[in-house]
Amino acid sequence: MKIVLATGNKGKLREFKAMCEAEVMAFSEILGEMEIIEDADTFKGNALIKARTIYEKLADENYIVISDDSGISVSLLGGEPGIYSARYAGVGASDKENLYKLIDALKEKGVERTPAYYTAAIAIVSKYGEYVVHGWMHGDVIAGTKGEKGFGYDPMFIPSGYDKTLGELDDEVKKAISHRGQALELAKPIIEMLQR
Ligand code: ITT
């Protein structure tokens, strides 16, 4: 069984490749680039849409498809941007545009630092059926950026128990505590079972 990642996000791909012991490839290596409409109202729903779409396009029972739908939620903003994290500054917005839109939203509220959390839903689709697991990472967002590591909202996110942003902390730290890392720990036994 071959593992295919149903994501076009380079930051996610890099993290998955670093965290998975098994060999994984991006769907684009087989199918080329493709736009998938993510119109569900939950992380779980959107993760399933992505994994199902790629599994159906591959049309080969020898594949296990894994997707990740994720985002950041700020309590002060009623959970925004949440499932809209990738298009917070508009459809097709870059990571930087989304990041600065969130910084502006905090500045408008007059806060320098406020609680937030990341969510990741990982969906696994194979000939044996569908599974979804979740992971979370809590911390604070700041109204500015520090560091260049990670991707997306990482330069403004300080995980609980740390005094630096994910833009400053090493990849190994993020790998151990991240929403994606937590979800993948739950996904690993399922993937191993499907490969037997
Ligand atoms: P795929 O759907 O192709 O996987 P995407 O970027 O559209 O890629 P999502 O719809 O799941 O992915 O949106 C997730 C957004 O949330 C992403 O664009 C980032 O801005 C942000 N995000 C998720 N995980 C993150 C992380 O670990 N660090 C920083 N930002 C993250």
Side-chain angles (χ1 to χ4, degrees), residues 7-9 12 38 50 69-70 118 151 154 174 179-180:
T7 179
N9 181 309
K12 289 185 191 177
E38 301 171 32
K50 290 187 261 194
D69 198 69
S70 45
Y118 277 113
F151 67 96
D154 286 344
K174 184 176 178 191
H179 49 312
R180 188 161 297 107

Side-chain angles (χ1 to χ4, degrees), residues 96-170:
K96 278 250 159 10
E97 287 166 336
N98 290 326
L99 172 77
Y100 283 101
K101 164 115 190 195
L102 188 53
I103 289 171
D104 286 347
L106 298 189
K107 284 182 177 162
E108 264 174 43
K109 291 275 179 189
V111 294
E112 281 298 315
R113 182 172 173 157
T114 189
Y117 60 92
Y118 277 113
T119 304
I122 291 182
I124 304 153
V125 173
S126 80
K127 66 177 172 186
Y128 299 114
E130 300 175 339
Y131 302 81
V132 182
V133 292
H134 289 82
W136 289 272
M137 172 168 49
H138 289 266
D140 286 338
V141 279
I142 55 170
T145 65
K146 285 185 184 168
E148 305 261 297
K149 292 184 184 152
F151 67 96
Y153 298 92
D154 286 344
M156 68 180 296
F157 186 84
I158 301 176
S160 298
Y162 292 82
D163 57 7
K164 289 189 164 115
T165 70
L166 287 175
E168 299 171 294
L169 291 165
D170 284 340

Side-chain angles (χ1 to χ4, degrees), residues 14-56:
R14 198 180 58 242
E15 290 187 7
F16 269 111
K17 286 192 170 171
M19 287 190 288
C20 288
E21 284 114 48
E23 200 192 323
V24 294
M25 63 185 128
F27 79 82
S28 58
E29 293 175 44
I30 309 165
L31 299 170
E33 302 296 336
M34 188 190 312
E35 175 107 40
I36 300 172
I37 309 289
E38 301 171 32
D39 56 2
D41 56 5
T42 58
F43 291 109
K44 174 181 174 176
N46 283 329
L48 278 168
I49 287 173
K50 290 187 261 194
R52 281 177 188 149
T53 304
I54 297 301
Y55 184 75
E56 280 160 21

